[in-house]
């Protein structure tokens, strides 16, 4: 019997995360709409248009537009072309979406990003979804481990490659699987169009515990363009 296809593996990984994130986003969307309805009710009752009420209404509209932007970042873009993308723009969205995860949003994420990191050539939605899936995997490990060590997300690079690293506490003795059907396999396939390499290792800490480390490495935009020129020659 044949195993699951890469698309099916990725779909299963993304479904687990997106359902929880959408649950949190839908809760916030309900709150924002209720606030707008309350403000509109004041106007319909003939109450004076106090500046404070107008300001509160404008704030709710801004919050609603921001939520809609997060919703739009989630759909799959299977046929979208790769384009220049900066981690400095994508990572804040990933962290904000994590903040809406119904089960894992209380897991703090320490960010260490190099603002000089060069852009990538990648499908933006694919990169966002992959980073979010790996982040939530690390957050799940941190939650199960019960340890005080933080979940960390860092990114940096040089002229030819960019590295994104996630580290999180891991329950003792948890096996790391990287074959077909694994998280690593799913993310590697989802970012294959960007020539991404994805690895996972388990590290021993000084205190004797374990930490799991996911690392994604992708070529920078100049390097990707150079490879394109060589392939076309």
């Amino acid at each position: 019997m044949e195993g699951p296809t890469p698309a099916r593996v990725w779909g299963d990984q993304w479904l687990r995360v997106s359902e929880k994130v959408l649950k949190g986003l839908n809760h916030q969307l309900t709150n924002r709409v209720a606030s707008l309805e309350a403000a509109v009710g004041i106007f319909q009752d003939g109450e004076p248009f106090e500046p404070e009420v107008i300001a509160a209404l404008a704030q709710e509209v801004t919050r609603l537009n921001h939520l809609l932007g997060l919703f739009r970042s989630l759909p799959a873009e299977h046929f979208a072309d790769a384009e220049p993308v900066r981690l400095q723009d994508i990572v804040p969205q990933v962290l904000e979406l994590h903040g809406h995860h119904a089960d894992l949003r209380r897991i703090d994420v320490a960010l260490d990003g190099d603002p000089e990191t060069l852009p990538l050539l990648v499908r933006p939605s694919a990169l966002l979804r992959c980073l979010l899936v790996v982040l939530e995997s690390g957050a799940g490990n941190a939650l199960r481990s019960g340890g005080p060590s933080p979940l960390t997300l860092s990114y940096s690079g040089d002229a030819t490659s960019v590295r994104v690293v996630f580290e999180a506490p891991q329950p003792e003795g948890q096996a790391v699987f990287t074959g077909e059907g694994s998280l690593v396999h799913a993310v590697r396939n989802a970012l294959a169009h960007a020539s991404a390499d994805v690895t996972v290792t388990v590290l021993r800490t000084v205190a004797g515990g374990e930490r799991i480390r996911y690392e994604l490495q992708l070529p920078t935009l100049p390097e990707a363009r150079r490879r394109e020129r060589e392939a076309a020659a």
Side-chain angles (χ1 to χ4, degrees):
M1 180 181 296
E2 294 184 359
T5 64
R8 173 64 182 274
V9 171
W10 168 248
D12 290 344
Q13 294 284 352
W14 175 238
L15 183 62
R16 294 187 187 99
V17 170
S18 60
E19 281 187 336
K20 296 293 185 179
V21 172
L22 285 172
K23 182 177 180 180
L25 284 171
N26 284 330
H27 176 72
Q28 287 299 315
L29 181 62
T30 300
N31 290 344
R32 299 283 73 79
V33 171
S35 296
L36 287 173
E37 288 177 340
V40 171
I42 293 175
F43 297 150
Q44 290 177 337
D45 290 340
E47 296 291 332
F49 290 4
E50 297 292 339
E52 294 82 3
V53 175
I54 299 297
L57 181 60
Q59 187 176 39
E60 289 301 328
V61 171
T62 298
R63 289 174 176 172
L64 182 60
N65 281 331
H66 187 71
L67 279 174
L68 292 176
L70 291 177
F71 271 106
R72 286 193 293 271
S73 73
L74 290 176
E77 296 176 0
H78 296 298
F79 304 105
D81 293 330
E83 62 183 74
V85 175
R86 298 187 338 139
L87 284 166
Q88 297 91 317
D89 299 326
I90 293 289
V91 168
Q93 285 185 300
V94 171
L95 293 177
E96 189 165 4
L97 289 167
H98 167 71
H100 289 282
H101 193 289
D103 298 332
L104 301 173
R105 57 190 171 206
R106 293 180 179 82
I107 302 298
D108 293 330
V109 183
L111 175 64
D112 181 15
D114 181 357
E116 302 302 319
T117 301
L118 293 178
L120 310 168
L121 185 64
V122 66
R123 296 171 188 156
S125 185
L127 179 61
L128 181 145
R129 296 194 311 275
C130 286
L131 294 180
L132 185 59
V133 165
V134 178
L135 176 65
E136 301 308 351
S137 178
N141 277 325
L143 180 65
R144 290 188 296 273
S145 73
S149 300
L151 168 62
T152 63
L153 190 171
S154 61
Y155 61 86
S156 60
D158 53 30
T160 60
S161 65
V162 170
R163 291 169 298 282
V164 186
V165 178
F166 300 83
E167 274 195 23
Q170 168 160 294
E172 284 284 340
Q174 177 173 297
V176 173
F177 173 52
T178 60
E180 292 189 11
S182 68
L183 171 66
V184 171
H185 180 254
V187 172
R188 185 181 293 126
N189 278 282
L191 293 177
H193 69 278
S195 300
D197 185 32
V198 186
T199 59
V200 58
T201 53
V202 175
L203 311 172
R204 296 294 299 181
T205 66
V206 175
E210 293 182 349
R211 288 180 68 80
I212 190 166
R213 175 188 176 98
Y214 295 102
E215 182 170 339
L216 286 68
Q217 184 165 316
L218 302 94
T220 61
L221 176 61
E223 174 65 12
R225 294 299 194 199
R226 184 189 69 78
R227 295 182 187 183
E228 286 181 344
R229 290 192 297 271
E230 287 186 350

